[in-house]
Amino acid sequence: MKAPTVTPAAGGRAAVRAGVAAAVLALALAVSLTLAVSLGAVHVPPGEVWTVLARRLSGQPPEPGTRDLIVWQLRTPRALLAALVGAGLGLVGTAVQALVRNPLADPYLLGISSGATLGAVAATVLGAGAGLGIGLSGAAFAGALTAFALVWALARRGGGFAPLRLVLAGIGIGQFLSGFTSFLVLQAGDEQRTRGVLFWLMGSLGGTTWSQLALPAAAVALGAIVLQARARALNALLVGEETAAGLGVDTVRLRRELFAVTSLLTGTMVAVSGAIGFVGLLVPHVCRLLVGADHRRLLPLAALAGAVLLTAVDTLARTALPAQEVPIGVVTALLGAPVLLYLLDRRGEHR
């Protein structure tokens, strides 16, 4: 991957394109959130959705009936969580692709999500999180950090650092942790709990409440701030570690920061939604086609695009079948795998 090098005129055009793309995505997000709350077994007209939201946000007493319950208590928190998870996955994907200098790298490639999943499953099946007083999110974050530490230690063995070694370490540890997760699920002993865990592992936002939004919102906000502050360093990292160091970037510290941020975001997202693939892979790549590889523009756009995509996918997963909800991970895999194969084919043609 080459670092962005642009003339002032080209930079101005890129800024205009980024502004237009951001405005379009913001409008698309508003529309997708409205449809997410409107569509379902009980259809609520978009105008009535905004009426209910306006009454609630202004502090007025809710109108009697089931519409207020459906809009405010059931669908709005879920739609907002879908947007937050999508934004977080978009940010994680962008950071990971810069870390390994590969635009087709997946945020789950480094094994961090496998660690988060193992922590969350251990907390659910064994009650490990409750015993330590850290809860599901804390257990997922602890698992993500543990996986990060293992991957980092293996990648740094011998004193050097290579993206390929990092990727191979992540794949190996990720597969090991995934196998251990499957073993824990089989040991659950409760068929109903096992089904619930398996459904969650494929991605689910069912049963979301307002109280569940605070943690992912804080994680996404913190991750976005940290990554945006390091956008120039991420640009320098694209041209190689030696060149970045020559430009004054502390690459070792930067990689540690990227691992910490991706661990935080991945652990939080996995805890609230399960494992959802392809979003973090495809969103940064598509946004890069729109605005280039400059992370100052790429990061905000990836967050917006991820929010739009996952909100739309969750609505589709919830409404596609009349009496059954499809796991979000199934939908993202069905949509993302063909796109990934197409992108791989295009990259092969240009070599």
Side-chain angles (χ1 to χ4, degrees), residues 221-238:
L222 178 61
I225 291 171
V226 172
L227 291 175
Q228 195 66 38
R230 304 293 278 160
R232 291 182 181 273
L234 289 172
N235 290 341
L237 189 63
L238 296 181

Side-chain angles (χ1 to χ4, degrees), residues 174-192:
Q175 290 298 313
F176 172 79
L177 296 178
S178 295
F180 197 62
T181 299
S182 300
F183 174 77
L184 285 181
V185 172
L186 293 175
Q187 300 303 310
D190 185 339
E191 183 177 349
Q192 191 69 23

Side-chain angles (χ1 to χ4, degrees), residues 145-338:
L145 283 177
T146 302
F148 145 69
L150 291 173
V151 172
W152 181 263
L154 288 177
R156 295 293 298 180
R157 286 193 65 182
F161 181 90
L164 179 59
R165 186 181 181 91
L166 179 71
V167 170
L168 293 176
I171 292 174
I173 290 176
Q175 290 298 313
F176 172 79
L177 296 178
S178 295
F180 197 62
T181 299
S182 300
F183 174 77
L184 285 181
V185 172
L186 293 175
Q187 300 303 310
D190 185 339
E191 183 177 349
Q192 191 69 23
R193 176 179 289 185
T194 301
R195 283 186 178 181
V197 171
L198 289 174
F199 189 84
W200 173 82
L201 285 174
M202 292 184 286
S204 175
L205 299 175
T208 303
T209 61
W210 284 101
S211 62
Q212 292 176 282
L213 298 180
L215 183 59
V220 170
L222 178 61
I225 291 171
V226 172
L227 291 175
Q228 195 66 38
R230 304 293 278 160
R232 291 182 181 273
L234 289 172
N235 290 341
L237 189 63
L238 296 181
V239 297
E241 188 168 351
E242 291 184 1
T243 304
L247 295 173
V249 177
D250 186 343
T251 56
V252 174
R253 178 180 177 182
L254 177 61
R255 293 184 188 279
R256 288 174 179 170
E257 291 177 356
L258 291 179
F259 264 116
V261 171
T262 53
S263 296
L264 172 65
L265 286 172
T266 304
T268 304
M269 299 306 111
V270 167
V272 298
S273 66
I276 301 175
F278 288 102
V279 175
L281 186 152
L282 297 178
V283 164
H285 187 80
V286 172
C287 292
R288 199 176 287 111
L289 295 177
L290 294 175
V291 299
D294 189 341
H295 287 83
R296 293 173 296 177
R297 304 183 183 99
L298 182 60
L299 285 165
L301 210 64
L304 276 173
V308 172
L309 176 61
L310 201 62
T311 302
V313 167
D314 182 54
T315 304
L316 178 63
R318 184 169 51 82
T319 60
L321 299 179
Q324 183 180 0
E325 179 177 324
V326 180
I328 303 175
V330 173
V331 180
T332 57
L334 291 175
L335 296 176

Side-chain angles (χ1 to χ4, degrees), residues 44-110:
V44 181
E48 190 167 343
V49 168
W50 284 105
T51 299
V52 171
L53 294 177
R55 290 182 65 88
R56 283 284 191 168
L57 294 174
S58 63
Q60 300 180 44
E63 293 183 351
T66 59
R67 294 292 176 90
D68 179 84
L69 174 65
I70 293 173
V71 170
W72 184 254
Q73 297 293 343
L74 299 180
R75 293 183 185 170
T76 299
R78 176 168 179 159
L80 292 176
L81 183 60
L84 287 170
V85 172
L89 292 176
L91 291 171
V92 170
T94 305
V96 168
Q97 289 174 11
L99 180 66
V100 300
R101 300 202 299 274
N102 187 340
L104 294 182
D106 188 272
Y108 294 85
L109 188 66
L110 302 184

